[in-house]
């Protein structure tokens, strides 16, 4: 079949470096992946094309790049899955990271974030003579985050990182989960305290991009949500994010639906007068347009609220 | 002053284990790799790592015997005894570092069955064992703060006065050449699978360390011993782990027969890899295959076991062949996978022999697939490769540290750097004669895969050697088309091809020299093992004319005398 590749090129050694798109039309077998096609271009058309790749089997994590706007492993993406015959396939370097040349990005930011979560086992006390005793279930639970191949796809497409470089990001947080949930680790409490700070678990916007682009099913956002639970249980409800979760649940448990006004008030803190005052102009604008839902105690119960309440009670009793 | 006490070239499992051992022994150690450490090919080891430490009946002796038998009696038994004895402690070390091994019901480490093994002694993490250990090893590197030169490509080993004192390397992100000096160098740069096409190996497995050592005067051993893995996926040749057979998978021919009954009545699918690969090739040749393949069938294991214990290969078959293993058998065939041969070392990982039976620069150590200790002999058992990397990686780190501490600080001449710069400049200056690196590499890979595969003979190996010589000739005028400095892979691939051609030449020469069939080296024109003439290693050293000078070394036998090998 014919492949039309539209590849982002950037040569830092050009007299005036700037990114441009270059088209390649090549004839390839039906089963080709995006990586196979790029290798063919590099070997037969243009040896100056720079990209990283090695295993061709989605295990080394070298070849993450954006295919038609979304981060993917080139070796795991069949051409026929992203474009009908003859349709162009756009191939660009990963996002949120500095481009070095063509499809090669500087992974310095990625690794700095991994380093920031102290990514190594910190056992409590002395090592046992033999192995640590741990349930198979607890180890199986770690296989999913351990399956992370550090390709950077989630960091590339993370919408929170895009606006705030301080965010630890999905890969580092999934890595952090791997230690917090490891029964052999003795530093979980300290880890959770750090993750409760600015840049940690509460900065995720729950956009699901990392879950969608992860090529090996780590689902970083789900790991972040598990970390949030652990933070609330172990460290407490000390951040707007945690209070947001708590207010949300309290409101739904009581009335069967969300009290949006109190959600904002609770999240910032009921006695956080300066912050609440700073939100007053927004509140007034919403009020003027008739879109301010009435807060507690005017927030009425929905029909069937007691059933919703019972679900919460049952959940609470099961947790204990 | 030397930049480092110890420099480790390669940052897969052997390299990182060496770096951690050197760090713990108090050395100023650094690693250098042409890729980031977690991209290393150790990732691809799926099935597990062997150690005899579970079950009342298993023993280190049994593990040694299985390994010796698996090697077709070509492995050096002192080295094998050492490796198997160290295995249990090394598994515990890995567990303490954080590896999340599969557990049994009591929460202790659990095992699975594997090929060529008398007992279930393979410890594992689903079917991503290599990746799970590699990433944990890198965690330990970060914890220790070991300096890591990432994406640095080594062009030369620096040898002065018979002593290895560092490397010259290209920093790929800038294209600049650097000289990095050290009092001891550990090679841990992996094998040379890409000299074959196809291969299960990653594109980075180009024999750099093997060729660098060979050019620096080190001895290569048993290069003809090339493993073909029995279960590589039809089409792109991707590996489907032996874990599948360890968990109970069948091999079927076109008639739906479990054909291994006829070749290895006791061990069947779990016979050693050379035996299974030959059986498959025979079935295919005799017309009981389909499109050059036989089938791997796991359907009877059930969807749950397939999705959890064989998760990666389940997904690989789905992604790369569009086959759902829960409902269909997968077409597979033997494919190049591993090289048992490599840089000759003693069990202390030294590449030189104080007694002079073989040669190599002092201060150069080697561990992992790049090396040949020899623990695998004519055929490696599954799950012994990860074991080799960690056991001998650790030894290499410790020995290199001890060696470095004895060395005075000798200044190194800048001539090596200037030489390398001049050579690369000359490459850039070559006129474009229309030849391309990729074309030469493919011609080499095809020839090697045709004539040095599961079945071999004199004419075929001569023909492959002729092809390699012809390619070496063309290589002297092969241009580098792209002239840039930053991330110039055209230059890197050119240099890698040079390394692979050196390795390919010694593989052919070793095969031609060994006039018998043993392990993976099966000659149709000499089908019997010949213990009288050939219970020995083949040896290659670079001659003055650049061609290999061949020789042989005795095999170390401690207590397992060669017997007929039946599975």
């Amino acid at each position: 079949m014919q492949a039309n590749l539209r590849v982002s090129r950037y040569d830092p050694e050009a007299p005036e470096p700037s990114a441009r798109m270059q088209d390649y039309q090549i004839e390839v077998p039906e089963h080709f992946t995006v990586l196979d096609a790029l290798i063919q271009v590099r070997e037969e058309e243009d040896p100056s094309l720079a990209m990283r790749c090695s295993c061709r089997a989605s295990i080394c994590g070298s070849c993450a790049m954006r295919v038609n706007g979304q981060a993917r492993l080139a070796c795991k993406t069949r051409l026929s899955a992203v474009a009908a015959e003859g349709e162009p396939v756009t191939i660009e370097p990963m996002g949120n990271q500095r481009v070095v040349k063509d499809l090669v990005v500087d992974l310095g930011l990625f690794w700095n974030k991994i380093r920031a979560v102290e990514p190594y086992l910190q056992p409590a006390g002395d090592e046992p003579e033999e192995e640590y005793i741990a349930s198979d279930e607890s180890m199986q639970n770690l296989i999913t985050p351990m399956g992370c191949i550090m390709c950077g796809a989630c960091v590339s497409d993370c919408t929170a990182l895009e606006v705030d470089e301080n965010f630890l990001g999905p890969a580092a947080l999934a890595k952090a989960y791997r230690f917090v949930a490891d029964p052999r680790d003795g530093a979980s409490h300290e880890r959770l305290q750090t993750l409760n700070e600015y840049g940690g678990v509460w900065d995720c916007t729950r956009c699901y991009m990392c879950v969608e682009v992860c090529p090996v099913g780590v689902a970083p956002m789900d790991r972040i949500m598990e970390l949030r639970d652990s933070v609330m249980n172990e460290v407490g409800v000390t951040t707007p994010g945690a209070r947001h979760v708590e207010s949300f649940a309290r409101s739904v448990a009581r009335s069967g639906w969300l009290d949006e006004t109190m959600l904002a008030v609770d999240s910032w803190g009921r006695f956080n007068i300066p912050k609440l005052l700073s939100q007053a102009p927004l509140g007034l604008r919403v009020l003027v347009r008739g879109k301010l839902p009435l807060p507690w105690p005017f927030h009425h119960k929905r029909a069937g609220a007691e059933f919703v309440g019972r679900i919460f009670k049952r959940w609470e009793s099961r947790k204990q | 002053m030397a930049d480092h006490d110890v420099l480790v070239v390669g940052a897969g499992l052997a390299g990182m284990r060496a770096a951690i051992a050197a760090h713990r022994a108090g050395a100023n150690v650094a690693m250098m790799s042409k890729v980031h450490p977690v991209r290393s090919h150790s990732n691809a080891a799926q099935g597990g790592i062997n150690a005899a430490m579970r079950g009342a009946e298993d023993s280190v002796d049994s593990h040694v015997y299985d390994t010796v038998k698996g090697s077709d009696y070509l492995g050096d038994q002192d080295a094998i005894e050492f490796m198997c004895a160290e295995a249990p402690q090394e598994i515990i070390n890995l567990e303490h570092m954080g590896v999340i091994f599969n557990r049994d019901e009591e929460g202790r480490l659990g095992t699975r069955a594997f090929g060529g093994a008398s007992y279930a002694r393979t410890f594992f993490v689903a079917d991503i064992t290599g990746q799970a250990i590699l990433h944990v090893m890198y965690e330990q590197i970060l914890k220790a703060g070991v300096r890591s030169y990432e994406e640095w490509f080594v062009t030369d080993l620096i040898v002065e006065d018979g002593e290895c004192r560092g490397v010259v390397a290209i920093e790929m992100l800038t294209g600049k050449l650097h000289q990095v000096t050290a009092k001891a160098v550990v090679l841990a740069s992996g094998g040379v699978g890409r000299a074959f096409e196809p291969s299960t190996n990653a594109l980075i497995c180009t024999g750099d360390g093997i060729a660098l050592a060979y050019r620096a005067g080190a001895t290569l051993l048993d290069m003809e011993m090339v493993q073909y893995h029995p279960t590589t996926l039809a089409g792109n040749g991707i590996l489907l782990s032996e874990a599948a057979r360890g968990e109970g998978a069948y091999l079927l021919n076109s008639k739906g027969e479990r054909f291994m009954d006829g070749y290895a009545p006791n061990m069947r699918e779990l016979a050693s890899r050379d035996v299974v690969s030959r059986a498959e090739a025979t079935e295919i040749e005799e017309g009981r295959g389909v499109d050059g393949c036989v089938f791997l069938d796991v359907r009877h294991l059930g969807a749950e076991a397939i999705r959890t214990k064989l998760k990666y290969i389940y997904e690989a078959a789905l992604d790369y062949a569009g086959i759902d293993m829960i409902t269909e058998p997968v077409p597979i065939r033997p494919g190049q996978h591993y090289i048992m041969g490599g840089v000759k070392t003693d069990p202390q990982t030294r590449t030189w022999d104080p007694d002079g039976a073989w040669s190599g620069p002092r201060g150069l150590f080697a561990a992992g697939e790049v090396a040949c200790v020899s623990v695998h002999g004519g055929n490696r058992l599954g799950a012994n490769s990860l074991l080799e990397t960690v056991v001998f990686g650790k030894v290499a780190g410790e020995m290199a540290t001890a060696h470095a501490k004895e060395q005075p600080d000798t200044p190194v001449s800048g001539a090596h750097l200037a030489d390398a710069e001049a050579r690369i400049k000359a490459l850039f200056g070559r006129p474009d004669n229309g030849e391309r690196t990729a074309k030469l590499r493919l011609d080499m890979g095809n020839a090697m895969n045709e004539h040095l595969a599961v079945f071999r003979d004199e004419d075929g190996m001569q023909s492959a050697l002729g092809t390699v010589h012809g390619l070496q000739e063309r290589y002297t005028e092969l241009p580098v088309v792209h002239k840039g400095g930053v991330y110039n892979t055209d230059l890197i691939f050119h240099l890698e091809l040079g390394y692979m051609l050196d390795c390919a030449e010694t593989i052919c020469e070793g095969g031609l020299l060994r006039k018998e069939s043993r392990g993976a080296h099966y000659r149709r024109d000499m089908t019997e093992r010949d213990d009288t003439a050939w219970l020995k290693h083949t040896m290659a050293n670079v001659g003055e004319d650049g061609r290999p000078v061949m020789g042989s070394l005795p095999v170390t036998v401690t207590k397992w005398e060669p017997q007929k090998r039946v599975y």
Side-chain angles (χ1 to χ4, degrees):
Chain A
M1 62 182 233
Q2 199 191 34
N4 283 346
L5 307 181
R6 177 160 292 178
V7 183
S8 175
R9 304 296 309 269
Y10 171 76
D11 179 4
E13 295 169 292
E16 285 172 41
S18 69
R20 65 191 166 87
M21 300 305 283
Q22 188 166 354
D23 290 342
Y24 300 97
Q25 294 192 338
I26 54 171
E27 200 57 40
V28 300
E30 203 73 35
H31 69 264
F32 254 35
T33 62
V34 170
L35 180 64
D36 294 329
L38 285 172
I39 289 176
Q40 184 170 321
V41 166
R42 192 171 66 179
E43 292 189 342
E44 293 174 11
E45 314 267 328
D46 191 346
S48 71
L49 177 64
M51 60 183 168
R52 292 191 180 100
C53 60
S54 181
C55 75
R56 306 160 299 130
S58 58
I59 190 83
C60 78
S62 301
C63 68
M65 52 187 76
R66 276 187 171 158
V67 180
N68 288 345
Q70 185 172 311
R72 289 167 171 275
L73 283 186
C75 73
K76 207 183 179 186
T77 306
R78 283 199 183 208
L79 273 174
S80 58
V82 286
E85 167 133 30
E87 265 183 36
V89 179
T90 309
I91 301 163
E92 298 160 290
M94 283 195 282
N96 287 337
Q97 290 153 102
R98 185 181 67 87
V99 178
V100 173
K101 181 176 193 302
D102 301 338
L103 303 172
V104 174
V105 300
D106 177 358
L107 284 160
L109 172 122
F110 177 90
W111 287 108
N112 283 340
K113 291 187 181 305
I114 298 287
R115 272 190 212 104
V117 302
E118 301 187 356
Y120 36 82
L121 196 69
Q122 299 180 37
D126 293 335
E127 286 171 348
E129 195 140 302
E130 297 194 340
E131 73 267 40
Y132 289 94
I133 304 299
S135 72
D136 192 43
E137 196 189 0
S138 67
M139 291 287 114
Q140 295 289 340
N141 174 45
L142 297 178
I143 286 184
T144 305
M146 200 69 224
C148 172
I149 55 176
M150 304 277 157
C151 66
C154 59
V155 164
S156 159
D157 288 16
C158 174
T159 54
L161 256 176
E162 199 176 320
V163 293
D164 184 1
E165 216 181 80
N166 187 60
F167 180 40
L168 279 169
L173 288 169
K175 188 80 174 169
Y177 171 84
R178 174 250 176 283
F179 295 103
V180 169
D182 191 323
R184 302 168 296 179
D185 195 78
S188 293
H189 191 76
E190 293 72 24
R191 291 180 192 277
L192 288 171
Q193 279 176 326
T194 312
L195 296 175
N196 194 34
E197 290 167 8
Y198 168 48
V201 292
W202 300 109
D203 287 34
C204 165
T205 59
R206 301 182 56 150
C207 73
Y208 268 102
M209 281 309 287
C210 60
V211 177
E212 193 160 319
V213 301
C214 175
V216 288
V218 171
M221 196 197 83
D222 292 351
R223 307 285 88 78
I224 297 172
M225 294 309 123
E226 290 183 72
L227 284 173
R228 284 185 178 180
D229 278 353
S230 303
V231 163
M232 288 176 70
N233 291 334
E234 305 262 330
V235 183
V237 180
T238 65
T239 60
R243 286 194 294 269
H244 180 99
V245 171
E246 210 174 51
S247 172
F248 203 117
R250 188 166 54 226
S251 154
V252 175
R254 189 164 52 209
S255 62
W257 63 307
L258 183 61
D259 181 348
E260 288 184 60
T261 308
M262 281 314 289
L263 183 68
V265 174
D266 283 341
S267 298
W268 292 120
R270 290 187 187 185
F271 304 104
N272 187 352
I273 307 299
K275 190 72 199 179
L276 290 175
L277 281 177
S278 76
Q279 299 294 305
L282 173 70
L284 282 174
R285 281 202 303 279
V286 177
L287 185 68
V288 166
R289 286 177 173 77
K291 291 190 173 177
L292 187 72
L294 286 177
W296 181 88
F298 310 106
H299 177 79
H300 66 84
K301 276 190 185 181
R302 279 280 162 96
E306 57 274 24
F307 294 109
V308 177
R310 250 183 259 160
I311 294 171
F312 275 85
K313 279 208 184 94
R314 204 182 304 160
W315 173 249
E316 285 300 325
S317 66
R318 189 182 296 179
K319 262 205 314 199
Q320 282 149 18
Chain B
M1 206 179 114
D3 297 319
H4 304 285
D5 296 329
V6 177
L7 178 67
V8 182
V9 177
L13 272 181
M16 288 202 276
R17 187 68 189 89
I20 289 165
H23 174 78
R24 287 180 181 169
N28 159 3
V29 55
M31 308 188 302
M32 183 179 285
S33 171
K34 63 181 174 181
V35 292
H36 186 281
V38 305
R39 315 290 177 219
S40 303
H41 191 56
S42 306
N43 260 329
Q46 298 167 356
I49 176 165
N50 287 334
M53 57 190 280
R54 281 290 177 274
E57 290 168 350
D58 199 6
S59 65
V60 169
D61 256 11
S62 171
H63 186 186
V64 176
Y65 171 72
D66 289 342
T67 304
V68 169
K69 179 181 172 184
S71 81
D72 216 349
Y73 296 90
L74 187 61
D76 284 322
Q77 296 179 8
D78 54 343
I80 296 173
E81 284 174 351
F82 174 77
M83 178 178 79
C84 297
E86 290 290 304
Q89 186 55 50
E90 205 41 37
I91 300 283
I92 298 297
N93 291 346
L94 292 174
E95 201 274 339
H96 288 173
M97 285 179 187
V99 177
I100 50 164
F101 284 115
N102 176 282
R103 308 277 159 154
D104 64 16
E105 277 151 21
E106 276 111 55
R108 307 197 61 192
L109 303 182
T111 57
R112 68 162 38 128
F114 233 63
S118 306
Y119 300 99
R121 64 167 77 96
T122 302
F123 296 86
F124 66 101
V125 183
D127 57 355
I128 57 166
T129 313
Q131 183 204 339
I133 301 178
L134 185 76
H135 282 243
V136 167
M137 203 66 84
Y138 185 62
E139 293 167 8
Q140 296 297 309
I141 289 288
L142 290 177
K143 185 180 179 186
V146 170
R147 170 81 197 265
S148 171
Y149 298 88
E150 286 153 15
E151 300 188 323
W152 284 49
F153 181 91
V154 177
T155 60
D156 299 83
L157 293 179
I158 297 172
V159 179
E160 287 181 346
D161 307 323
E163 187 83 38
C164 187
R165 294 197 180 127
V167 304
V168 179
I170 301 170
E171 181 186 15
M172 289 169 63
L173 283 187
T174 62
K176 278 206 194 89
L177 275 153
H178 300 267
Q179 183 164 289
V180 180
T181 56
K183 294 177 181 174
V185 173
V186 176
L187 283 177
S189 49
V192 63
R194 298 312 306 180
F196 291 72
E197 182 63 42
S199 164
T200 64
N201 284 196
L203 301 176
I204 54 175
C205 301
T206 52
D208 306 8
I210 300 175
L212 283 166
Y214 173 67
R215 291 173 187 182
T219 300
L220 305 186
L221 209 70
D222 294 334
M223 288 297 286
E224 70 278 10
M225 292 302 180
V226 178
Q227 180 164 81
Y228 272 64
H229 194 288
T231 54
T232 72
L233 191 61
N236 67 358
I238 282 180
L239 174 69
L240 298 183
S241 171
E242 187 164 310
R245 282 170 292 137
E247 296 293 337
Y250 302 145
L251 290 172
L252 305 177
N253 61 20
S254 60
K255 298 170 167 175
E257 298 163 341
R258 276 183 79 183
F259 58 84
M260 283 311 298
D261 287 344
Y263 299 87
N266 305 317
M267 302 283 277
R268 300 205 276 196
E269 281 86 357
L270 286 177
S272 69
R273 288 179 177 172
D274 57 329
V275 173
V276 180
S277 285
R278 268 196 298 280
E280 290 178 1
T282 306
E283 290 295 305
I284 294 164
E285 267 194 9
E286 293 178 358
R288 293 186 294 279
V290 175
D291 298 332
C293 290
V294 289
F295 297 95
L296 179 73
D297 186 2
V298 296
R299 290 173 297 176
H300 57 285
L301 301 180
E304 174 65 20
I306 295 169
R307 285 211 189 91
T308 55
K309 290 186 169 169
L310 305 173
K311 179 173 182 287
Y312 172 81
I313 65 174
Y314 172 69
E315 285 174 11
L318 210 53
D319 286 341
Y320 297 111
I323 286 177
D324 181 350
M325 294 177 73
I326 293 171
T327 56
E328 285 173 89
V330 202
I332 50 94
R333 64 180 175 204
Q336 196 286 339
H337 182 56
Y338 188 85
I339 174 150
M340 277 71 75
V343 182
K344 164 65 183 163
T345 74
D346 62 12
Q348 299 181 40
T349 72
R350 297 183 295 195
T351 67
W352 72 102
D353 178 22
D355 299 331
W358 76 88
S359 65
R362 286 189 310 279
L364 181 65
F365 300 78
E369 194 174 347
V370 68
C372 181
V373 190
S374 131
V375 289
H376 307 307
N379 172 67
R380 174 174 71 75
L381 292 190
N384 264 356
S385 59
L386 287 184
L387 178 60
E388 179 194 14
T389 63
V390 289
V391 168
F392 290 103
K394 176 167 176 272
V395 174
E398 288 166 355
M399 292 302 297
T401 303
H403 180 88
K405 283 182 177 163
E406 289 168 6
Q407 298 307 306
D409 222 326
T410 316
V412 172
S413 139
H416 307 279
L417 183 61
D419 276 0
E421 279 168 345
R423 257 187 359 253
I424 299 218
K425 201 172 160 210
L427 283 183
F428 282 138
R430 281 186 189 174
D432 187 352
N433 61 359
E435 293 265 39
R436 289 294 176 267
T437 302
K439 175 73 175 68
L440 267 64
R441 191 176 57 219
L442 186 64
D443 288 353
M444 167 187 64
N446 286 338
M448 296 299 283
N449 194 49
E450 189 176 347
H451 299 300
L452 283 118
V454 176
F455 296 121
R456 303 167 170 185
D457 60 34
E458 182 79 17
D459 290 349
M461 289 189 286
Q462 285 290 3
S463 150
L465 181 63
T467 303
V468 170
H469 284 162
L471 291 170
Q472 283 172 327
E473 194 63 39
R474 286 158 68 189
Y475 183 71
T476 59
E477 295 187 358
L478 179 68
V480 176
V481 181
H482 177 53
K483 319 285 187 197
V486 177
Y487 222 86
N488 183 348
T489 46
D490 194 30
L491 171 65
I492 299 295
F493 296 156
H494 188 290
L495 298 171
E496 286 176 342
L497 176 62
Y499 294 151
M500 285 190 281
L501 284 169
D502 280 359
C503 295
E505 186 182 19
T506 58
I507 292 169
C508 294
E509 292 280 12
L512 287 162
L513 184 65
R514 186 176 288 284
K515 307 243 183 284
E516 61 158 356
S517 286
R518 183 184 298 272
H521 178 67
Y522 187 89
R523 293 183 62 141
R524 286 210 147 119
D525 47 357
M526 295 169 195
T527 57
E528 295 301 311
R529 195 176 80 192
D530 181 356
D531 289 331
T532 320
W534 278 107
L535 186 61
K536 55 190 181 191
H537 303 289
T538 66
M539 185 166 91
N541 277 91
V542 69
E544 300 221 330
D545 61 350
R547 294 270 179 242
V549 176
M550 304 303 291
S552 66
L553 275 180
V555 171
T556 306
V557 175
T558 56
K559 58 182 179 188
W560 286 274
E561 290 297 328
Q563 292 166 9
K564 194 165 158 49
R565 187 161 167 258
V566 182
Y567 281 102

